Amino acid sequence: MGGMDTLAQIDLGRGQVTLRPARPEDVQALVDLIAADQLGATRDGVRDAADLAAYTAAFEAIAADPAHILVVAEMAGEIVGTMQLSFLPGLARRGALRAQIEAVRVAESSQGSGLGTAMMGWAIDEARRHGCALVQLTTDKSRLDAHRFYQRLGFVASHEGMKLAL
Amino acid sequence: MGGMDTLAQIDLGRGQVTLRPARPEDVQALVDLIAADQLGATRDGVRDAADLAAYTAAFEAIAADPAHILVVAEMAGEIVGTMQLSFLPGLARRGALRAQIEAVRVAESSQGSGLGTAMMGWAIDEARRHGCALVQLTTDKSRLDAHRFYQRLGFVASHEGMKLAL
């Protein structure tokens, strides 16, 4: 991914939002956004140089692989949203490519502005452009607002999302 | 992945099972195994050359990317199980690498033999060897036996698994 590329321009009424691939200098702000979330707060944050190194290594792994796009939503020079879109090959469903969305976050100041809907709309369109047969994500069972949000977009809660911490 | 590599040898009592990466010549048998499943039957199967070409293209995409391992379980020259293991980078959880498991199938003749448990045990160990912090999968809500199976292995059904067909 060219780091300077614009993925989409979104007019939210209250302002113009640019979707673009994340750059190395975004890592701290992205971790802050992930940690600002109620569930992320217990798991994420940059406390020292070792933390920043771990996040930077993950950023580099994402950026190095065209199967992943770490998306930043920027408004007036500030990061107001993020999500990761990944394209996963598989045999099932007639060899369908799947788009998987992880780590969707909208800054508190932009919640209710339509930004989340616009971000997901772009991701779904991008999945179509890549020829994906399916978009999938998991969302914590405690995030009831998120379930309604995704259902309004057409997602069906057909599966149990199971996790095993190592 | 070297196509001839053995990933693991499993002694099931009733016989020796080899886990190995899938080879191009396995595609038809793997699709048969996916289609033999109650849910897969409505979505999968090789009816004509176009189907086989679609599955083969998906196989090649998986085999070309070291982030994915399409695993075959072979006993006495027959394919008795399969699963796909993928390693996905991400920023959340301190830049954790995740292992994702998709398309787990055990042939009817090998169900109840401990093969599924052994396959998952290998996948979890492999995730640890790759430094993953998490193993994740989704399983259709109608597969109640599968939920119990994964819970016995330590998985927690903490998330809704949401899908949007395109």
Side-chain angles (χ1 to χ4, degrees):
Chain A
M1 300 296 310
M4 306 305 283
D5 298 342
T6 292
L7 300 169
Q9 292 285 353
I10 298 164
D11 185 358
L12 279 186
R14 68 151 75 176
Q16 192 77 11
V17 174
T18 300
L19 300 189
R20 60 166 177 82
R23 301 168 192 151
E25 60 270 27
D26 298 326
V27 169
Q28 172 81 60
L30 291 174
V31 175
D32 290 348
L33 195 50
I34 290 169
D37 173 83
Q38 202 182 349
L39 295 173
T42 61
R43 302 190 291 232
D44 282 292
V46 176
R47 281 156 301 234
D48 54 29
D51 286 344
L52 189 59
Y55 287 111
T56 300
F59 167 81
E60 286 165 1
I62 298 165
D65 187 342
H68 307 290
I69 311 175
L70 181 59
V71 178
V72 161
E74 188 177 292
M75 183 166 62
E78 215 170 311
I79 292 180
V80 291
T82 183
M83 68 183 162
Q84 182 177 330
L85 183 59
S86 299
F87 300 101
L88 308 180
L91 281 190
R93 299 174 189 243
R94 209 168 175 272
L97 191 65
R98 295 169 185 232
Q100 182 159 304
I101 301 176
E102 296 263 6
V104 181
R105 298 289 190 284
V106 170
E108 211 176 345
S109 61
S110 287
Q111 285 174 16
S113 70
L115 174 58
T117 302
M119 284 167 54
M120 292 297 301
W122 174 83
I124 292 165
D125 287 348
E126 186 72 5
R128 277 206 187 86
R129 284 188 288 269
H130 275 71
C132 295
L134 197 73
V135 185
Q136 63 184 22
L137 58 85
T138 68
T139 174
D140 194 285
K141 288 198 176 181
S142 68
R143 298 191 199 268
L144 300 180
D145 288 353
H147 305 170
R148 284 187 288 267
F149 170 73
Y150 292 122
Q151 278 162 341
R152 278 198 303 272
L153 291 165
F155 284 85
V156 179
S158 54
H159 285 61
E160 293 289 338
M162 308 195 85
K163 313 271 175 180
L164 171 68
L166 297 183
Chain B
M1 298 299 307
M4 306 305 283
D5 297 343
T6 291
L7 300 169
Q9 292 285 354
I10 298 164
D11 186 359
L12 279 185
R14 67 152 76 176
Q16 192 77 9
V17 174
T18 301
L19 299 189
R20 60 166 178 81
R23 302 168 190 151
E25 61 268 28
D26 298 325
V27 169
Q28 172 80 61
L30 291 174
V31 175
D32 290 348
L33 195 51
I34 290 168
D37 174 83
Q38 203 181 349
L39 296 172
T42 62
R43 303 190 292 232
D44 283 291
V46 177
R47 280 155 302 234
D48 55 29
D51 286 343
L52 189 59
Y55 286 111
T56 300
F59 167 81
E60 285 166 0
I62 298 165
D65 186 341
H68 307 292
I69 311 175
L70 182 59
V71 178
V72 162
E74 190 177 291
M75 184 166 62
E78 215 171 310
I79 292 180
V80 291
T82 183
M83 68 184 161
Q84 183 176 331
L85 182 59
S86 299
F87 300 100
L88 308 179
L91 280 191
R93 299 175 190 241
R94 210 168 174 270
L97 191 66
R98 295 168 186 235
Q100 181 160 306
I101 301 175
E102 296 263 6
V104 180
R105 297 290 189 285
V106 170
E108 211 175 346
S109 60
S110 288
Q111 284 174 17
S113 70
L115 175 59
T117 302
M119 285 167 55
M120 292 297 301
W122 174 82
I124 293 165
D125 286 347
E126 185 71 5
R128 277 207 188 88
R129 284 188 287 269
H130 274 71
C132 295
L134 197 73
V135 184
Q136 63 183 21
L137 57 86
T138 69
T139 174
D140 194 285
K141 288 198 176 181
S142 68
R143 297 193 200 266
L144 300 180
D145 288 351
H147 305 170
R148 283 188 288 266
F149 170 72
Y150 291 123
Q151 279 162 342
R152 278 197 303 274
L153 291 165
F155 283 85
V156 179
S158 54
H159 285 61
E160 292 289 339
M162 309 195 84
K163 313 270 175 180
L164 171 67
L166 297 183

